[in-house]
Amino acid sequence: MERSLTPSRVHSEQNDFRGWVRTVELGNVQISTMAYPPLIVRRSAQHIRRSDPEAYQVNFILSGQGWTAQAGCEAVISAGEFVLFDTSRPFDGRRICAPDTACGIVVEIPRALLPLPPTMVSPLVGASFSGRQGIGAVFRRWLTNLDRHATEFTAADEPSLNSITVELLVAVLSHQLDDAGATSPESHRRVLRVRVRDYVQQRLSDPNLSPTAIAAAHQISLRHLYQIFDDEDVTLSAWIRRQRLENCRRDLADPRLASRPVHAIASRWGFTDAAHFSRAFRTAYDMPPSVYRKLTLTGQPMQRSTNTVHK
């Protein structure tokens, strides 16, 4: 655990200690899912002097209970909640959970990556947040999905996954600060963008999902919806199409779905016109969906088309 995270003293009174740590590296952002029996953790000033990544740690509880203390703030946390730590300050923690069962996710993000000043984040250190509803639930779903699909990502995915993880944490903190009247219009914009993305991800199968419907669901104008995505690389409609295509691509490569027709997979993710889906898939991946499925399921090397016309 010391090699996977920051140096600290980990102690357990259980003689038969069984545990595991699974880590996903997203550039300078690290996400670790863990399982272990009850234990006690302490990061002292001596540990900090030995090594300090100058980062924030988010400790999310999947199961069991915990107690944490940092910066004079104590918190009792249970499944579905998380707490924010600063690696440059001593902290203590105690966890009670079942062995061999995934019981926590720890996210370590360099402080320099957060656009929020340390003076603004400092009051939130050691505090607990709910991951059962609102923006906290969006963050929880993102972390658990990252762990669940970790083997599907490539090095090319890392920058986007890194950016979204940081943005989600900032949105959670901004929402908490907003309750205290400490955020800026940009923070409001960031939180709304995260909420819209989560709304879309949960409704990709709906063929009627559109910017107009999204704006109405969030009680904002269509113009305002477009404005919050102004600094993105693609338009909102293009981003929705990309998410749908990625889900289709993943399903086509899944051996468990090999008997499901291509048009059924397309329909599952909101494509009602089979011909339109085939064109969109070929534009995105340089081959028809049926060919992509055959190559991935048989393990044959991908041969990209050299005469595809991209729109």
Side-chain angles (χ1 to χ4, degrees):
M1 288 184 67
E2 181 171 306
R3 287 195 302 269
S4 297
L5 299 171
T6 54
S8 57
R9 181 177 185 270
V10 182
H11 172 69
S12 176
E13 297 176 353
Q14 184 161 324
N15 292 326
D16 181 21
F17 189 97
R18 301 189 310 276
W20 53 260
V21 180
R22 181 172 57 245
T23 300
V24 178
E25 300 279 356
L26 302 176
N28 48 10
V29 172
Q30 179 177 288
I31 301 172
S32 302
T33 304
M34 308 178 185
Y36 43 73
L39 52 75
I40 299 170
V41 180
R42 164 166 288 186
R43 178 164 166 79
S44 65
Q46 182 179 0
H47 288 120
I48 295 170
R49 287 193 296 270
R50 185 169 48 150
S51 176
D52 182 17
E54 299 183 353
Y56 291 118
Q57 273 190 5
V58 176
N59 281 248
F60 175 63
I61 306 298
L62 293 174
S63 63
Q65 293 181 316
W67 168 87
T68 63
Q70 186 175 57
C73 183
E74 295 187 21
V76 176
I77 49 179
S78 56
E81 297 177 328
F82 52 93
V83 64
L84 179 71
F85 288 139
D86 185 337
T87 64
S88 298
R89 303 187 191 187
F91 65 75
D92 292 276
R94 181 185 296 269
R95 290 296 312 278
I96 301 174
C97 43
D100 300 327
T101 301
C103 55
I105 297 178
V106 176
V107 184
E108 187 167 289
I109 298 176
R111 290 199 300 266
L113 286 187
L114 266 64
L116 301 173
T119 53
M120 187 176 289
V121 179
S122 183
L124 302 180
V125 169
S128 61
F129 301 82
S130 173
R132 302 190 188 100
Q133 59 188 8
I135 198 69
V138 176
F139 193 33
R140 172 182 57 80
R141 286 193 292 271
W142 172 255
L143 294 180
T144 52
N145 282 330
L146 268 181
D147 176 65
R148 186 177 300 119
H149 299 291
T151 58
E152 302 172 16
F153 303 133
T154 67
D157 298 320
E158 286 185 8
S160 295
L161 299 176
N162 178 305
S163 177
I164 294 172
T165 302
V166 173
E167 186 172 72
L168 281 169
L169 175 58
V170 172
V172 170
L173 300 180
S174 295
H175 182 72
Q176 193 79 5
L177 292 167
D178 184 49
D179 290 341
T183 55
S184 65
E186 176 57 29
S187 295
H188 286 282
R189 181 172 180 247
R190 185 181 296 113
V191 171
L192 182 56
R193 184 165 56 202
V194 169
R195 288 187 183 277
V196 167
R197 280 178 171 163
D198 185 63
Y199 179 89
V200 169
Q201 290 285 3
Q202 295 185 66
R203 292 166 176 80
L204 288 173
S205 61
D206 182 1
N208 296 316
L209 182 69
S210 66
T212 300
I214 296 169
H218 290 81
Q219 299 181 331
I220 58 176
S221 68
L222 190 59
R223 180 183 179 187
H224 187 191
L225 176 65
Y226 286 138
Q227 285 176 340
I228 68 173
F229 285 90
D230 274 348
D231 57 352
E232 298 292 294
D233 293 335
V234 296
T235 65
L236 177 59
S237 296
W239 182 77
I240 293 173
R241 183 170 60 255
R242 179 188 295 175
Q243 298 305 305
R244 283 174 163 160
L245 287 169
E246 274 297 296
N247 280 291
C248 290
R249 183 186 64 82
R250 188 185 66 237
D251 284 359
L252 289 169
D254 190 340
R256 296 169 298 180
L257 302 177
S259 62
R260 183 171 296 180
V262 171
H263 68 82
I265 288 177
S267 178
R268 178 189 181 190
W269 294 110
F271 290 101
T272 56
D273 186 323
H276 168 70
F277 165 69
S278 184
R279 288 193 299 270
F281 191 94
R282 183 162 187 159
T283 298
Y285 303 109
D286 289 340
M287 65 183 69
S290 57
V291 174
Y292 178 85
R293 165 180 265 182
K294 180 180 178 180
L295 293 177
T296 54
L297 294 182
T298 59
Q300 298 179 45
M302 297 286 183
Q303 293 183 348
R304 300 284 185 176
S305 170
T306 58
N307 58 356
T308 300
V309 177
H310 292 274
K311 294 182 180 180

